[in-house]
């Protein structure tokens, strides 16, 4: 995902969430703090806690909820596939060109229903110029093979990272766990950290849990 989406959240600007307690009032927790905790929980494999944390952010700043693609990913790993699907459908309203959004939506539907249903429900996208996102989209659409995606990535490390990540996730959706893990582990390699950003962390978490 494009990490700049995180920066569009209007956090730390006076919003706060208060936890109610019969003994004593809790200190307010700013959405930015909730966001940071949710990311930390995800990075440490606490998927249910991470998803719940992102839920709290969405409730605290509902006008920013569509931007929370990180929530969608946490929901996927927490097994909340219907909520995951809805998050990426919502995200499309604020980021309609992003192929990664359509890919994660596919993954959620594939796990909740089937790869065939996911392909039928594949979200349309606009012009995502990043290499090899056009080919990644066609792979999820069923008109290109994973091998063609890897070939389209070329020699640039950022393209190679995203190719291996989404080929791995695609194989997982198809039930081919060994091939999925092979590519996820490549994407999780340290050499790709500077190119993958948040998504490299996702790859590392995925590889570690497998």
């Amino acid at each position: 995902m494009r990490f700049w989406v995180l920066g569009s959240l209007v956090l730390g600007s006076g919003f706060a969430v208060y936890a109610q307690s019969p003994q004593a009032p809790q200190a307010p927790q700013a959405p930015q703090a909730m966001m940071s905790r949710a990311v930390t929980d995800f990075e440490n494999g606490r998927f249910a806690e991470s998803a719940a944390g992102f839920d709290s952010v969405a409730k605290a700043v509902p006008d920013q909820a569509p931007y929370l693609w990180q929530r969608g990913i946490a929901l996927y790993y927490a097994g909340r596939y219907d909520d995951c699907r809805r998050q990426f459908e919502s995200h499309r309203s604020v980021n309609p060109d992003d192929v990664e959004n359509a890919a994660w939506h596919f993954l959620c539907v594939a796990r909740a229903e089937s790869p065939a249903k996911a392909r039928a429900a594949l979200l349309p996208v606009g012009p995502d110029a990043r290499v090899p996102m056009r080919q990644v989209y066609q792979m999820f659409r069923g008109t290109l093979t994973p091998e063609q995606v890897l070939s389209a990535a070329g020699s640039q490390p950022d393209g190679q990272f995203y190719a291996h990540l989404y080929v791995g996730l695609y194989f997982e959706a198809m039930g081919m766990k060994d091939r999925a893990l092979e590519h996820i582990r490549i994407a999780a390699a340290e050499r790709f950290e500077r190119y993958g950003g948040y998504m490299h962390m996702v790859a590392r978490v995925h590889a570690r849990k497998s």
Side-chain angles (χ1 to χ4, degrees), residues 12-13 20 47 70 209:
S13 57
Q20 299 298 319
F47 302 129
Q70 299 92 336
K209 79 173 184 64

Side-chain angles (χ1 to χ4, degrees), residues 48-62:
E49 294 87 343
S50 177
F54 282 119
D55 289 346
S56 295
V57 177
K59 290 177 182 177
V61 280

Side-chain angles (χ1 to χ4, degrees), residues 113-177:
E113 300 183 47
S114 70
K117 291 287 185 65
R119 186 162 289 133
L122 187 65
L123 296 177
V125 298
D128 191 333
R130 296 173 297 160
V131 175
M133 287 303 164
R134 182 170 61 86
Q135 289 82 8
V136 165
Y137 186 78
Q138 294 301 325
M139 175 181 66
F140 281 98
R141 193 176 182 183
T143 57
L144 284 183
T145 66
E147 291 72 23
Q148 288 173 305
V149 172
L150 294 169
S151 178
S155 60
Q156 294 301 310
D158 53 345
Q160 292 178 0
F161 167 76
Y162 284 105
H164 282 291
L165 175 64
Y166 284 102
V167 164
L169 291 168
Y170 177 79
F171 278 136
E172 180 171 85
M174 297 298 112
M176 304 168 70
K177 293 185 178 181

Side-chain angles (χ1 to χ4, degrees), residues 27-58:
Q29 188 175 19
Q32 184 63 64
M34 291 188 291
M35 183 83 169
S36 296
R37 177 61 181 270
V39 171
T40 298
D41 280 337
F42 181 85
E43 188 169 14
N44 287 281
R46 297 187 291 267
F47 302 129
E49 294 87 343
S50 177
F54 282 119
D55 289 346
S56 295
V57 177

Side-chain angles (χ1 to χ4, degrees), residues 59-154:
K59 290 177 182 177
V61 280
D63 60 323
Q64 298 297 309
Y67 292 93
L68 287 174
W69 53 262
Q70 299 92 336
R71 175 176 180 260
I73 294 174
L75 290 168
Y76 174 79
Y77 285 98
R80 291 170 52 188
Y81 302 120
D82 289 337
D83 290 337
C84 170
R85 174 181 186 163
R86 286 189 287 271
Q87 177 63 49
F88 289 114
E89 289 171 349
S90 176
H91 185 62
R92 183 175 176 270
S93 69
V94 295
N95 193 14
D97 296 341
D98 197 333
V99 165
E100 292 180 89
N101 187 66
W104 283 97
H105 181 270
F106 179 103
L107 296 169
C108 297
V109 179
R111 294 298 292 270
E113 300 183 47
S114 70
K117 291 287 185 65
R119 186 162 289 133
L122 187 65
L123 296 177
V125 298
D128 191 333
R130 296 173 297 160
V131 175
M133 287 303 164
R134 182 170 61 86
Q135 289 82 8
V136 165
Y137 186 78
Q138 294 301 325
M139 175 181 66
F140 281 98
R141 193 176 182 183
T143 57
L144 284 183
T145 66
E147 291 72 23
Q148 288 173 305
V149 172
L150 294 169
S151 178

